[in-house]
């Protein structure tokens, strides 16, 4: 009996997102950064590879920083889908605010700049985990990190 075995392969590493389904869920931007590190490439290089899989032409001065990878826009949806396709990890849209797109008001939902909790990042390193950015930090109304390990909330920076 001759049987053909298939070995699903992906263009990029199929990294497992951190904290999936919890209040400590990783953001898509964090996932993107860890993916670049796992391939030992720069963020702009990885962004160019991903952008080349998207429909349309990139302008000459394309800058990946202009993309809000964690938001609710069509761009967020495109990048989550492209990264899912390239990694074989099918639920990367859950690392964004897209699941809440039709549930809560979008105006002012996302923070206007990157934020982080130094306590959580330090704890990640202390426990031998890769430091990562939590999706909850992307919500504009969240001013303090409410990680269970903090006795009192720590301000986000």
């Amino acid at each position: 009996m001759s049987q053909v075995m298939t070995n699903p392969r992906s263009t990029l590493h199929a990294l497992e997102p951190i904290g999936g389904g919890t209040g400590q869920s990783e953001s898509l931007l964090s996932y993107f950064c860890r993916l670049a590190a796992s391939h030992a490439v720069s963020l702009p290089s990885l962004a160019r590879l991903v952008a080349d899989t998207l429909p349309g032409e990139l302008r000459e001065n394309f800058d990946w920083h202009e993309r809000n990878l964690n938001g609710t826009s069509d761009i967020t949806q495109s990048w989550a889908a492209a990264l899912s396709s390239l990694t074989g990890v099918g639920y990367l849209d859950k690392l964004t605010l897209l699941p809440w797109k039709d549930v809560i008001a979008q105006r002012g939902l996302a923070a206007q700049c990157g934020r982080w909790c130094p306590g959580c990042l330090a704890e990640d390193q202390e426990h031998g985990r890769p430091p990562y950015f939590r999706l909850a930090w992307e919500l504009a109304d969240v001013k303090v990190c409410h990680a269970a390990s903090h006795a009192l909330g720590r301000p986000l920076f």
Side-chain angles (χ1 to χ4, degrees):
M1 176 200 281
S2 176
Q3 211 174 21
V4 176
M5 299 291 286
T6 60
N7 182 7
R9 298 189 184 263
S10 59
T11 303
L12 299 173
H13 298 150
L15 291 181
E16 188 66 28
I18 300 171
T22 72
Q24 297 295 306
S25 176
E26 181 172 27
S27 72
L28 188 62
L29 177 59
S30 177
Y31 183 85
F32 180 74
C33 292
R34 286 193 317 112
L35 192 59
S38 79
H39 284 277
V41 298
S42 69
L43 292 172
S45 294
L46 182 58
R48 174 82 41 200
L49 184 142
V50 174
D52 286 347
T53 69
L54 298 173
E57 292 288 317
L58 294 178
R59 62 181 197 282
E60 191 168 316
N61 62 345
F62 168 79
D63 183 357
W64 76 275
H65 291 94
E66 295 173 8
R67 307 296 178 244
N68 181 355
L69 298 186
N70 301 321
T72 58
S73 69
D74 291 341
I75 291 170
T76 299
Q77 180 63 52
S78 295
W79 278 69
L83 284 168
S84 284
S85 175
L86 290 168
T87 62
V89 178
Y91 47 87
L92 295 180
D93 60 322
K94 303 287 190 260
L95 306 182
T96 71
L97 299 177
L98 285 167
W100 298 320
K101 184 176 186 174
D102 297 326
V103 178
I104 54 179
Q106 301 308 301
R107 187 177 187 102
L109 175 64
Q112 296 301 310
C113 61
R115 301 181 317 162
W116 65 92
C117 172
C120 286
L121 296 176
E123 281 180 21
D124 289 341
Q125 287 186 311
E126 287 169 14
H127 291 98
R129 299 183 301 249
Y132 68 99
F133 293 104
R134 278 67 166 173
L135 181 59
W137 300 343
E138 292 296 320
L139 298 170
D141 285 343
V142 175
K143 308 288 187 216
V144 173
C145 182
H146 295 288
S149 59
H150 302 320
L152 298 172
R154 294 180 192 242
L156 295 176
F157 294 94

